[in-house]
Amino acid sequence: MSSATGRVVGKRAEDGERASAAPRGQRTRSGYPRYVAGKLAGAVVSLFAVLVTSFFLFRLIPGDPVKFMTGGRPVSAEQLAVYKEEFGLDLPLWEQFTDYCVKALTGDLGTSYQFHAPVVDKITEALPNTLLLTGTAFVLYTALGAFLGTRSAWRHGGPGDRLNTGLALTLYSIPSFWLGLLLIIVLSVGVDPIPGLFPTGGMESGREEGLAYVLDVAHHLVLPVVTLVAVEYGQTLLVTRSALLDEMGSDYLTTARAKGLRDDLVRRRHAVPNALLPTVTLVFVNLGRTVAGVILVETVFSWPGLGGLFYQALSVPDLPLVQGLFFVFAAAVILMNTLADLLYPMLDPRVGR
């Protein structure tokens, strides 16, 4: 090949590299906005699917809301018609659905059959109680699970790892309502020689004020929080342990040790941050569930939160309240999942490119 031909081929190759490099750069710069748009669009579609599901699913529940509203008393056909007209139950199903969707978009989730109050007001009233219970448990079981999962992975195969993993698997497999009932029997009712130390249920005694009220609520909070922490921390422990074990054979950890860094420093500064992605997913999913609360635990301990309200609404069935709570529960999980997806590229630049 002549030198002139070589220069021509080299120039063409250079031009080709420049042409391909520009789109790659543009793709990198535009990749994240497209990624965000796709995640937000998916969240909107999911919310609409939840809206549709919440309307039709709970109409399969056996029970007549009108009979509940009349208290089981014999009423005339005219009175039944008045009740149905008041709550829109006389309309065709498709018209009830469109009316429900339009109102939901404006923040109106309807009026509760049993409380005769806006569903949004009932949810707002019970939400702080649920956040207190599940929020406290969330902080404790996330911190405990992440700490023990890290320690177990770093010393995997040892006695501590086997003990932590076995205990986590055992507690994670126990139904929360069964564990709650067991704690009530042992620590509330009392079993010789253990006296009853905690209330059997509720959120407060109703006779305290000021600091005494805070301590009273904390006293009622102990058993439901212990139940949630015992059942939930194992999941965080196992996910953290598995993610960290995947990282432990990486070359960058060997390099860090070769530089003379202490083992504890290698774990905290290098291994753990790179193993966070699966744990972050789990944390955000659990964070979304804090709004939903845990229906069985709140019911067992008579905790006046969203979970107990949902159980109470199902027994009627109070369709607007059940629909509204289901939508709020699902929306909280979808929102937290979407937020986790949007934060992924900050933890791992390969995501969203």
Side-chain angles (χ1 to χ4, degrees), residues 80-160:
L80 288 176
V82 169
Y83 276 117
K84 289 183 177 181
E85 184 179 358
E86 180 182 354
F87 291 98
L89 295 174
D90 59 329
L91 300 175
L93 189 61
W94 67 268
E95 195 170 341
Q96 293 182 43
F97 174 67
T98 54
D99 184 56
Y100 169 66
C101 289
V102 170
K103 287 183 176 179
L105 292 175
T106 62
D108 182 3
L109 297 177
T111 302
S112 168
Y113 295 160
Q114 56 184 322
F115 298 108
H116 299 279
V119 169
V120 173
D121 291 350
K122 297 302 297 180
I123 292 175
T124 304
E125 180 184 325
L127 180 59
N129 300 338
T130 288
L131 292 179
L132 175 63
L133 171 60
T134 55
T136 303
F138 167 78
V139 171
L140 292 176
Y141 70 67
T142 300
L144 181 65
F147 174 76
L148 292 179
T150 301
R151 306 295 294 186
S152 293
W154 207 249
R155 295 175 173 81
H156 63 96

Side-chain angles (χ1 to χ4, degrees), residues 176-236:
S176 58
F177 72 90
W178 183 85
L179 180 59
L181 290 172
L182 186 63
L183 289 177
I184 289 174
I185 293 171
V186 175
L187 297 177
S188 292
V189 177
V191 175
D192 289 334
I194 303 173
L197 301 173
F198 299 97
T200 56
M203 180 178 170
E204 57 184 87
S205 301
R207 300 183 301 273
E208 310 293 345
E209 295 180 0
L211 179 59
Y213 172 77
V214 174
L215 295 176
D216 183 44
V217 172
H219 192 214
H220 285 76
L221 195 63
V222 171
L223 289 188
V225 165
V226 168
T227 302
L228 289 176
V229 171
V231 172
E232 298 290 342
Y233 92 97
Q235 187 181 21
T236 306

